[in-house]
Amino acid sequence: PTGLVVIFLPLALGYLLPLVPRGLWWRWLLYALESNGPAFVKLGQWASMRRDLFSQEACDRLARLHRHVRTHPLAHTHQLIHSAFGRPVEQLFARFDPEPVGSGAVAQVHRAQLLATGEEVAVKVLHPHVRDFILRDLRILRALASWLQFLVPSSRWLALPDSVDQFARVMTLQLDLGHEADNLERFRRNFSLSSSSSSASSSSAPAPAAVSFPRPYRALVSADVLVESYERGRTVDCLFHHPDRRTRAAVAAVGLRAFLQMLVVHGFVHGDLHAGNVLVRSTGDDDDGNGNGSGGGAGGSAGGGSTGDSPSLCFLDVGIAVSLSPRDQANFLALFTAIARGDGERAGALMLRQASHSDCADPRAFERDVGTLVASVRDTTLRLGRVRVGEVLQRIMGLVCEHRVRIESNFAALVASIMVLEGLGRQLDPDLDILATALPMLTVELARKQALGIVDAATGWTGRAR
């Protein structure tokens, strides 16, 4: 933490005082974020998506972190591949591009062609010493969480240490590319099954071909190296200034439906949905585009071409994912449904029932406050262009602290994912109606869980109070 003060205090002074030219200051900030480890790169990636909170210049500058983090030497890549598979690069690949197509927080990606089959693949390789950097970052975050909890006692109801512990678990798993291969297969299986089940019962589910994920080559997967199918397309940020509003709206709708499918139906949510991790394709696309430089959400240079009338999305870099137990998923579904239906007091009651610990002195007051907040949101139909979702979530967190209701760390992780989704949705289609998209899927899934006895039809409660 002391080192952070030494690095970032001069940056803050340089920003507040006209001591450093603005262009140089931004290069200085990017260098500081990259130098301080993957967790700080992730923070910059998140900030770049929050155009409701930060200036356009800040978001544009920080967007560089999606795919242009400093690369490591080619010799390190060759060494890791040889160590992982017992053979040099020349015996595995007919072609191996020396320049990475992209570099992210924990790894970089090279484009290659398999020697055995001629298939085009993406080869993801961890950066040197990345595990040491992650462990250091996690120690810093734990210290900051403890200090904040000591300085602001009410913040303990946000379960910050638990959230850091959960972040530590997912970041540690991200350092095992074999785990990412497992996640890829799970996402591919979920959306394959959805094409014959959820899609049939809900008009809000994405069409089967609208969502895809790279295919891992199991014989070429290790903790340090992941070989997966090379996916063509362009990162979604290429559309932020697209002149055709209908194109942007169509892409936003597919993305939102896919996210809701992960959350509401699958209980398995991509936890790193920044713009660099989403490729856009269409039936009319035959250009090379960015490709899946999925090393921490990295892509290559922007490609041309049109997205056409039938856009599809390919999600990359699935090392971070939020997995909900059946009980947690059902609880979140009941809470989300209550909010979507405008029943804020019921939502407050559900939050109290699901809290792992609570010293709430006046539960009815908490329920009324949540009811007032939800009513204000419901009145505007949750349109991204009119409602600041991040601001609403901050107000909910404020109520949680004020009334001493301890939330689950999984809930905090989902809140972070939704805030990033808001950034993407706002840039593509400010008029995207979350409520209209979510309600049909929520209604179908809630009815299914009620039929199975997972959710009580009368109360909306699941399981037993903790």
Side-chain angles (χ1 to χ4, degrees):
T2 303
L4 294 181
V5 173
V6 172
I7 293 172
F8 287 102
L9 181 58
L11 269 168
L13 293 175
Y15 182 83
L16 295 173
L17 304 173
L19 302 176
V20 181
R22 190 59 66 204
L24 179 60
W25 186 87
W26 281 112
R27 290 196 294 273
W28 185 10
L29 175 63
L30 291 172
Y31 177 82
L33 291 173
E34 292 182 37
S35 299
N36 278 279
F40 293 91
V41 172
K42 293 290 183 187
L43 179 63
Q45 291 173 344
W46 173 83
S48 74
M49 301 308 302
R50 299 310 311 275
R51 291 178 184 258
D52 56 325
L53 299 178
F54 303 104
S55 68
Q56 180 173 338
E57 180 188 17
C59 293
D60 289 345
R61 296 276 190 172
L62 291 171
R64 180 188 183 280
L65 296 172
H66 291 314
R67 52 183 178 268
H68 296 306
V69 178
R70 288 197 299 272
T71 62
H72 62 247
L74 182 62
H76 174 77
T77 294
H78 281 219
Q79 178 186 353
L80 276 190
I81 292 174
H82 197 168
S83 298
F85 308 123
R87 287 183 287 172
V89 168
E90 296 78 12
Q91 293 182 16
L92 294 170
F93 304 101
R95 189 192 77 250
F96 192 93
D97 292 354
E99 288 297 321
V101 295
S103 181
V106 301
Q108 67 187 39
V109 176
H110 294 261
R111 187 174 178 176
Q113 183 181 29
L114 290 177
L115 183 62
T117 64
E119 294 172 282
E120 199 163 35
V121 294
V123 183
K124 183 172 184 176
V125 182
L126 290 184
H127 290 311
H129 312 300
V130 67
R131 291 183 176 88
D132 295 334
F133 287 135
I134 288 287
L135 292 175
R136 183 203 61 188
D137 292 349
L138 293 176
R139 286 195 297 270
I140 293 172
L141 290 175
R142 285 192 177 97
L144 291 175
S146 298
W147 288 355
L148 181 61
Q149 195 164 273
F150 174 77
L151 295 173
V152 186
S154 63
S155 69
R156 72 187 183 95
W157 306 107
L158 296 178
L160 292 178
D162 289 349
S163 296
V164 172
D165 287 342
Q166 184 185 42
F167 180 68
R169 287 192 293 271
V170 297
M171 287 300 291
T172 301
L173 289 173
Q174 194 181 21
L175 297 176
D176 180 357
L177 297 184
H179 173 74
E180 180 168 351
D182 294 339
N183 287 350
L184 282 172
E185 291 179 339
R186 183 171 175 180
F187 277 118
R188 286 168 61 86
R189 183 168 60 251
N190 285 347
F191 278 91
S192 175
L193 292 174
S194 294
S195 68
S196 58
S197 57
S198 299
S199 296
S201 59
S202 172
S203 60
S204 290
V211 177
S212 63
F213 295 82
R215 175 172 64 91
Y217 288 77
R218 272 297 176 182
L220 295 173
V221 174
S222 75
D224 298 323
V225 182
L226 166 63
V227 177
E228 61 186 20
S229 56
Y230 186 85
E231 304 293 336
R232 287 177 170 79
R234 291 172 292 145
T235 50
V236 71
D237 52 359
C238 293
L239 295 182
F240 288 165
H241 304 293
H242 196 285
D244 186 352
R245 180 178 178 181
R246 290 177 302 175
T247 295
R248 289 186 280 109
V251 170
V254 172
L256 176 59
R257 289 197 299 268
F259 178 84
L260 291 172
Q261 191 86 346
M262 295 177 198
L263 175 63
V264 175
V265 180
H266 304 153
F268 191 61
V269 183
H270 195 311
D272 198 14
L273 279 176
H274 61 71
N277 283 342
V278 184
L279 294 182
V280 183
R281 302 185 291 205
S282 77
T283 54
D285 270 340
D286 58 3
D287 61 291
D288 188 34
N290 288 66
N292 59 335
S294 53
S301 58
S306 169
T307 58
D309 295 327
S310 304
S312 65
L313 301 180
C314 181
F315 294 99
L316 310 174
D317 192 26
V318 301
I320 296 179
V322 179
S323 182
L324 300 175
S325 69
R327 182 185 184 279
D328 286 343
Q329 185 192 12
N331 283 336
F332 193 84
L333 174 62
L335 176 62
F336 197 3
T337 302
I339 293 174
R341 290 176 175 170
D343 194 347
E345 292 199 15
R346 187 177 190 177
L350 285 166
M351 292 182 72
L352 284 170
R353 181 179 173 83
Q354 296 163 16
S356 59
H357 182 69
S358 175
D359 282 351
C360 186
D362 191 346
R364 282 295 301 148
F366 176 72
E367 293 171 11
R368 286 194 300 270
D369 287 349
V370 175
T372 300
L373 174 59
V374 170
S376 68
V377 173
R378 181 67 174 81
D379 288 343
T380 55
T381 68
L382 293 182
R383 288 187 180 276
L384 289 183
R386 298 163 61 188
V387 175
R388 302 284 184 180
V389 178
E391 183 177 315
V392 171
L393 293 173
Q394 289 172 355
R395 290 170 61 189
I396 289 178
M397 295 301 187
L399 290 177
V400 164
C401 289
E402 179 183 341
H403 291 274
R404 299 190 174 187
V405 178
R406 181 164 181 166
I407 63 173
E408 296 292 331
S409 57
N410 260 348
F411 180 81
L414 290 175
V415 165
S417 295
I418 291 170
M419 291 173 74
V420 173
L421 179 72
E422 177 198 25
L424 284 172
R426 187 179 297 279
Q427 292 174 83
L428 289 168
D429 180 16
D431 293 325
L432 184 67
D433 194 332
I434 292 179
L435 186 59
T437 304
L439 265 178
M441 194 181 299
L442 287 169
T443 301
V444 169
E445 193 63 18
L446 183 62
R448 188 180 74 84
K449 282 181 167 53
Q450 288 174 345
L452 294 173
I454 301 174
V455 176
D456 185 273
T459 66
W461 292 344
T462 63
R464 296 181 293 111
R466 300 190 178 200

